[in-house]
Amino acid sequence: MTLEFRVPHDVDTDASPAPSARPDAVRRTGLRGLLDRLAVRRAAARDRRLVAHLHELDDLQRLLTGARGVVEQGWIQHSWFAYLDEHGRLRKASSAAALAAQGRPLVAACLVGAVVSAAGGPQVVHSQPVQRALDLVWHALAADEGRPVVWCPAPDVRMARVRDLTTWNDRPGRSAAEVASLLLTAERVAVHEAERVAARRVPLPT
C-alpha cells in the first residue's frame, strides 16, 4: 500500500510562486514618480490652507458673537465707544480718538466699535481679525444671501465699507436690536462660508 501525502491548497510551500505585485501598488520612478510626489505635496499644501481658513472662520464667528454681546450690553451712535474715565465720568470716543478708550470700562459701542472691542480693543483695529470680521459684517449688510465673501478688498474699498457700516449704524431710527441682528447674520455668513470651504476639500492622494 502506497502512502500519499497531499498538501492542502490553502497552505503555502517553499515551492509556491511569489505573489505578483499589484500594478497600482508599484511606486513609479523617474519623471512620472517625481510628478506624482509633487502632486501629493501640492494637494497637501492646498488642504492645509483650507483647514487654516476653516479655523479662521471659526475664530471670526466667535469674534462676531462677542461683538453682538457688546452691543446687547450697550449701543451708541455717532461715536465708536462710550466709556468711563479715571474720574468715573462718561466719555465718548470717535474712531480718531478710539485709543482714549483703551483699558477704560466700556459702557457702549457702535457696530464697528463692538467688533473692535470684541477683538481686543482699539490697539488691534488694523489687525487681520478685525478687518476680516468687518468684511463679513459688510457682506451681511450689502451682499445677496448665498454669495461667496470677497476677502481682502483694496484699502480704499475697505475704508468705504467701514463708512457704509458707520452710516448704517448712525441712521435715525436705528435700534440696538437691529445692530445685534446684523451681527447675527454675519455669524451665519461665517458658517455658510465655512461650509463652502469644507466642500472644497478632497481626499489626499496616498
Side-chain angles (χ1 to χ4, degrees):
M1 175 171 147
T2 303
L3 297 178
E4 183 178 357
F5 293 92
R6 296 184 179 274
V7 179
H9 293 295
D10 59 347
V11 176
D12 291 335
T13 66
D14 293 339
S16 300
S20 59
R22 293 174 53 192
D24 59 352
V26 177
R27 182 180 296 275
R28 294 179 176 178
T29 58
L31 179 59
R32 183 68 257 181
L34 175 62
L35 293 176
D36 287 347
R37 291 191 294 276
L38 289 176
V40 170
R41 291 174 187 172
R42 284 195 298 268
R46 179 180 182 274
D47 193 65
R48 286 194 296 271
R49 289 193 296 270
L50 292 176
V51 170
H53 196 185
L54 288 172
H55 288 320
E56 179 192 33
L57 286 165
D58 189 51
D59 291 341
L60 290 174
Q61 184 186 354
R62 286 195 294 270
L63 194 161
L64 292 167
T65 301
R68 183 158 51 90
V70 172
V71 168
E72 291 170 347
Q73 179 183 5
W75 170 72
I76 59 171
Q77 292 178 297
H78 309 295
S79 293
W80 273 25
F81 304 109
Y83 64 96
L84 300 178
D85 66 11
E86 62 274 18
H87 303 293
R89 294 173 296 194
L90 182 66
R91 301 289 188 182
K92 292 184 178 181
S94 65
S95 58
L99 286 174
Q102 184 63 38
R104 304 294 185 186
L106 186 67
V107 176
C110 72
L111 171 60
V112 175
V115 173
V116 173
S117 177
Q123 80 276 12
V124 298
V125 65
H126 298 297
S127 67
Q128 179 165 301
V130 169
Q131 300 303 311
R132 288 168 82 83
L134 291 175
D135 286 343
L136 290 171
V137 178
W138 186 89
H139 185 93
L141 175 66
D144 294 333
E145 185 174 354
R147 288 183 57 188
V149 175
V150 177
W151 300 103
C152 300
D156 57 336
V157 174
R158 180 165 269 161
M159 286 299 299
R161 291 181 176 184
V162 171
R163 287 194 295 270
D164 289 344
L165 295 175
T166 300
T167 300
W168 183 87
N169 180 90
D170 294 344
R171 187 167 299 159
R174 185 70 64 214
S175 69
E178 289 175 314
V179 176
S181 178
L182 178 61
L183 288 165
L184 181 60
T185 301
E187 293 175 57
R188 289 199 298 268
V189 171
V191 172
H192 295 156
E193 193 68 14
E195 292 171 351
R196 186 177 291 108
V197 172
R200 293 166 54 195
R201 295 187 67 193
V202 296
L204 294 177
T206 58

